[in-house]
């Protein structure tokens, strides 16, 4: 198994996370930088948030975008009109590219869904030239995603089985402070730096927040979809009450913090 992310449809992912990953892509690119003429690998492209942001950041020569999910690969191909963008299905832990064939390898919101995340870092390093850059970003599920923690904390109060789901969600690979730094260093990258990136997730209503999760998208959606009708009714009502917090339904804004890390391939 090369990805633990639960995807039902590209449209569902867009409502759940794609709209927020598009916001995260520009500050993520700014952190390691990108230069004109570079050949860039986007590892785990999803619906193309990083893929399509890269040509706006620099006049790159080529972007190769890969994802394990055929749903995401097909969606990104359909959305692409730039001849510099090449999209294919591939495994982040076994990249089908020659050594040192990219100037930069980047992964946006991917490594925490790769069971062998350290192997994925090693593969990104392998395919990046000496002097090139490897960079990745993941959400801080434990301390930086209050909207999603709200769902899991409420669920854990209602359903004892949700405690294990919460633990897995909060401590997915690469999410502990310094964990990506340790992996980058262990895989031979130099001048490794880690930082936090902040965006806000703005919802128009409870339905806007809850619909993609209720439809089974992502890790929380997978849990919600496993519930029986009675528990599902209780959870829906409790999450609505938490979202509204005693006020009429309407817009709400949640901070979202991500860990970002970058390192240099030594040898130049």
């Amino acid at each position: 198994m090369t990805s633990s992310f639960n995807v039902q449809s590209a449209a569902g992912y867009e409502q759940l996370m794609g709209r927020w990953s598009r916001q995260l892509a520009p500050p993520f690119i700014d952190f390691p930088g990108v230069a004109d003429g570079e050949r860039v690998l986007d590892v785990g492209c999803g619906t193309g948030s990083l893929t399509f942001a890269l040509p706006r950041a620099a006049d790159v020569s080529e972007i190769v975008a890969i994802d394990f999910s055929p749903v995401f690969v097909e969606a990104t191909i359909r959305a692409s009109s730039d001849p510099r963008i090449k999209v294919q299905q591939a495994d982040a832990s076994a990249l089908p590219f020659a050594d040192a064939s990219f100037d930069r390898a980047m992964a946006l919101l991917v490594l925490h869904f790769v069971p062998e995340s350290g192997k994925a870092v090693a593969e990104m390093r392998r395919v990046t030239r000496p002097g090139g850059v490897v960079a990745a970003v993941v959400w801080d599920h434990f301390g930086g995603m209050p909207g999603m923690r709200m769902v899991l904390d409420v669920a854990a109060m209602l359903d004892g089985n949700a405690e294990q789901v919460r633990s897995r969600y909060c401590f997915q690979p690469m999410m502990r402070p310094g964990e990506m730094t340790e992996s980058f260093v262990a895989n031979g990258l130099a001048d490794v730096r880690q930082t936090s990136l902040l965006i806000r997730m703005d919802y128009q209503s409870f339905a806007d927040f809850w619909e993609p999760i209720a439809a089974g998208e992502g890790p929380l959606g997978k849990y919600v979809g496993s519930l029986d009708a009675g528990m599902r009714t209780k959870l829906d009502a409790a999450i609505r009450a938490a979202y509204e917090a005693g006020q009429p339904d309407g817009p709400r804004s949640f901070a979202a913090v991500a860990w970002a890390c970058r390192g240099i391939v030594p040898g130049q």
Side-chain angles (χ1 to χ4, degrees):
M1 183 178 183
T2 55
S3 174
S4 62
F5 188 82
N6 186 59
V7 56
Q8 302 295 317
S9 70
Y13 173 81
E14 277 294 299
Q15 187 179 4
L16 174 70
M17 192 55 63
R19 51 183 167 170
W20 314 126
S21 60
R22 284 196 298 276
Q23 286 189 30
L24 186 62
F28 172 50
I29 293 170
D30 288 345
F31 172 55
V34 64
D36 294 350
E38 288 189 331
R39 186 172 189 242
V40 183
L41 176 64
D42 178 0
V43 177
C45 62
T47 51
S49 295
L50 179 61
T51 306
F52 301 132
L54 282 162
R56 295 192 291 270
D59 186 17
V60 294
S61 65
E62 185 178 44
I63 299 162
V64 178
I66 68 105
D67 203 285
F68 186 72
S69 167
V71 172
F72 287 150
V73 170
E74 292 165 8
T76 304
I77 290 173
R78 284 196 306 269
S80 176
S81 59
D82 190 328
R84 295 173 295 175
I85 295 174
K86 309 293 190 295
V87 188
Q88 66 183 79
Q89 186 175 12
D91 181 351
S93 297
L95 294 171
F97 307 112
D99 294 357
S101 54
F102 295 92
D103 298 293
R104 205 166 291 261
M106 305 177 72
L108 174 74
L109 303 180
V110 175
L111 291 185
H112 48 316
F113 293 115
V114 179
E116 296 181 293
S117 53
K119 190 172 181 180
V121 173
E123 280 290 274
M124 291 171 71
R125 180 200 184 281
R126 179 184 65 79
V127 303
T128 303
R129 64 167 175 81
V133 176
V134 173
V137 63
V138 302
W139 292 123
D140 175 7
H141 278 179
F142 180 82
M145 296 287 282
M148 301 302 108
R149 278 296 303 269
M150 177 181 74
V151 174
L152 284 164
D153 289 344
V154 169
M157 294 295 292
L158 297 174
D159 175 17
N161 294 326
E163 293 183 3
Q164 290 186 344
V165 176
R166 179 174 59 182
S167 180
R168 287 195 302 269
Y169 181 85
C170 289
F171 296 107
Q172 287 177 263
M174 301 295 180
M175 287 188 172
R176 298 175 189 268
E179 188 175 359
M180 271 200 295
T181 296
E182 293 172 3
S183 181
F184 274 42
V185 170
N187 283 289
L189 291 161
D191 192 20
V192 176
R193 299 180 185 177
Q194 185 166 329
T195 192
S196 296
L197 303 176
L198 169 69
I199 68 166
R200 295 202 70 90
M201 295 179 171
D202 297 317
Y203 298 95
Q204 295 305 305
S205 65
F206 175 68
D208 189 32
F209 171 81
W210 188 236
E211 279 178 357
I213 300 173
E217 292 292 345
L220 301 190
K222 184 177 182 180
Y223 161 72
V224 171
S226 72
L227 298 175
D228 62 40
M231 181 59 71
R232 175 62 184 274
T233 298
K234 291 179 182 178
L235 182 65
D236 288 354
I239 298 299
R240 174 183 284 276
Y243 176 92
E244 293 177 353
Q247 297 295 314
D249 188 13
R252 301 290 190 271
S253 183
F254 296 94
V257 180
W259 297 113
C261 192
R262 74 105 172 106
I264 307 297
V265 178
Q268 180 173 321

